[in-house]
Amino acid sequence: MKKLLASTCLLAGLAGGASLSHAAECGDVVLAVHNAQSAELLTFVDKFILENGYGCNVETVPGDTVPTTTSMVEKSEPDVSSETWVDLLPEIVPRGVQEGKIVFGAPALPDGGIQGWWIPKYLADAHPDIKTVEDALAHPELFPDQEDPSKGVIFNGAEGWGATVVTSQLFKAYKAADKGFTLMNPGSAAGLDGAIAKAYERKAGFITYYWAPTALLGKYQLVMLKQNGSADPVEWKRCITNLACPDPKVADWPVDKVMTVVTKKFADRTSPEVMAYFNKRGWSNETVGKIMAWETENQGTGEDGAKRFLQQDESIWSQWVPADVAEKVKAAL
C-alpha cells in the first residue's frame, strides 16, 4: 500500500512538474487590449487560450494600434498586439520588421479590414443586377432620401473620420449628385448607426459607408458594392483623401492588412508551441461580427464575448491548437 501511495505521489509530482515546465516555457505574456471592440475580443480569446491551454502567465495592458506598435518597436513591450492594422503605420512597422524588433504572426483578420459602400441584403436579393456602385447609382428610386424622396441617399461617415472625406470625394468622382443622389451627413457614429438601423427595420433602400468587422454588420446583413475603379494608391493620396481636391477619380478602397504582431524578444523566449498558435490563429469578419453583435445586444465585455465564442465556436478555434490544448481549454470553460 505504501509503495502504491509512493508511486501515485511520484506520478502526480511528475505530472505537476511537466505542467510547471510547460508554464515556464511559455512564461509571462503581456497582451495589449486595444480600444476597438474586435481587437479587445481577440485579445481576451488569446488570454483564455494561453492561460488555460498553454499555462502562460498573462497580463493585459491598455493600448491602441499606433502607440502600442510604436512601443513594441522602440521598447519591445508589450509582447503581443493581437489585432494590428499595420497599414496605419507605413513607416514604423516596416522599420520594426527590418530591424528585427517585431515579427508577424498569422493575419488576425484573413479577410482584411474592409471599407466601402454597402446596401441591405434584402435589396440586393430583390435586385441581383445591382452589384457595383455604378449599378446602384443608376437607380436613385431604390434608395429614397426620407427628406426628399425624389432623390436617392447615401449615408456618409461621422464628422472627423478619414472615411467621411473619402466618401465625400467618391461622391464627387461618381458624379452622384448629377445622378439624383444626396449625401447625408449623420454627424456622429451613433447617428450613422441609427440611420442604418431605422432604414433597415423599415426595409427601406439605402447606400451607406461602413466597414468590417463591426457589431452592426454582425446584426444587420449588408452587401458591399464593388467599386468601378481599381486600387490606385497614387490617386488615393493625391485626391481621394483630400477634401479640397476638386477633381477626384474613381478608385477602389484599399483592403487594410490586419495582423498579429509579436516582439522578437518574446518570440525568441517563449515556447515554439505558443508561437505556432500565434502563427495559425485568425478568424473571419463574419465570425467576429456576430460575437460583437451579441456583446452589444447583451452589454457584454470582451471577456464575455471571448467565452461565448469559445463555448459556441469550438469547430473554429479547435483548429488553432493541438487536441490536448483544446481539451484543457474546454475543461476551463
Side-chain angles (χ1 to χ4, degrees):
M1 183 67 178
K2 288 182 179 179
K3 287 183 179 179
L4 180 61
L5 286 171
S7 299
T8 302
C9 290
L10 177 61
L11 287 171
L14 288 173
S19 176
L20 289 172
S21 174
H22 188 65
E25 287 180 12
C26 175
D28 299 328
V29 188
V30 180
L31 305 179
V33 181
H34 289 190
N35 186 27
Q37 192 180 14
S38 59
E40 177 192 49
L41 178 56
L42 184 56
T43 300
F44 281 110
V45 169
D46 287 343
K47 182 176 187 291
F48 196 94
I49 289 176
L50 291 174
E51 286 181 334
N52 297 288
Y54 292 95
C56 305
N57 302 313
V58 181
E59 177 187 355
T60 59
V61 295
D64 215 337
T65 295
V66 175
T68 295
T69 310
T70 302
S71 178
M72 292 173 76
V73 172
E74 301 292 345
K75 303 176 182 178
S76 293
E77 58 185 39
D79 298 315
V80 180
S81 173
S82 298
E83 180 193 290
T84 311
W85 293 55
V86 297
D87 292 334
L88 295 175
L89 301 108
E91 296 179 1
I92 294 172
V93 168
R95 175 167 65 84
V97 173
Q98 185 177 8
E99 293 177 357
K101 300 294 183 64
I102 56 174
V103 295
F104 290 144
L109 298 171
D111 298 335
I114 298 173
Q115 299 182 80
W117 291 3
W118 308 67
I119 61 175
K121 187 175 184 296
Y122 52 77
L123 193 143
D125 289 343
H127 300 275
D129 54 316
I130 297 180
K131 299 184 181 301
T132 69
V133 172
E134 289 281 16
D135 293 338
L137 294 180
H139 294 281
E141 74 280 0
L142 295 178
F143 311 96
D145 184 351
Q146 294 302 302
E147 300 295 324
D148 182 358
S150 69
K151 294 184 178 295
V153 67
I154 298 172
F155 300 160
N156 205 344
E159 292 295 328
W161 289 0
T164 303
V165 172
V166 170
T167 291
S168 299
Q169 290 298 88
L170 288 176
F171 187 86
K172 289 194 289 188
Y174 278 109
K175 296 180 171 54
D178 295 340
K179 296 171 183 175
F181 279 81
T182 60
L183 188 60
M184 189 277 280
N185 294 303
S188 66
L192 175 59
D193 287 358
I196 292 171
K198 185 177 180 181
Y200 198 98
E201 298 296 342
R202 291 199 319 265
K203 294 293 187 232
F206 60 92
I207 302 171
T208 186
Y209 161 76
Y210 222 76
W211 73 100
T214 49
L216 184 134
L217 289 183
K219 180 177 182 179
Y220 298 121
Q221 289 187 296
L222 304 183
V223 176
M224 191 168 72
L225 296 169
K226 295 179 182 178
Q227 297 285 345
N228 293 84
S230 58
D232 186 344
V234 174
E235 175 62 15
W236 201 260
K237 184 176 181 179
R238 179 192 78 87
C239 201
I240 297 296
T241 56
N242 177 9
L243 193 59
C245 182
D247 61 338
K249 308 294 188 298
V250 172
D252 200 358
W253 294 79
V255 175
D256 288 302
K257 191 176 181 182
V258 185
M259 303 295 295
T260 297
V261 176
V262 178
T263 64
K264 184 66 164 57
K265 184 180 289 187
F266 174 75
D268 289 343
R269 79 167 188 265
T270 194
S271 69
E273 291 79 11
V274 168
M275 281 308 301
Y277 166 73
F278 282 122
N279 287 329
K280 192 170 187 180
R281 188 269 291 118
W283 52 12
S284 70
N285 289 350
E286 181 180 7
T287 296
V288 65
K290 287 179 179 177
I291 300 297
M292 288 192 293
W294 176 87
E295 276 186 36
T296 300
E297 291 173 2
N298 293 275
Q299 298 182 328
T301 65
E303 291 179 275
D304 296 331
K307 282 193 175 181
R308 180 173 176 82
F309 165 73
L310 292 168
Q311 288 167 345
Q312 73 171 27
D313 290 311
E314 180 185 335
S315 62
I316 296 174
W317 65 261
S318 63
Q319 301 302 308
W320 304 342
V321 298
D324 63 321
V325 173
E327 288 302 318
K328 293 176 185 177
V329 172
K330 286 192 289 182
L333 286 170

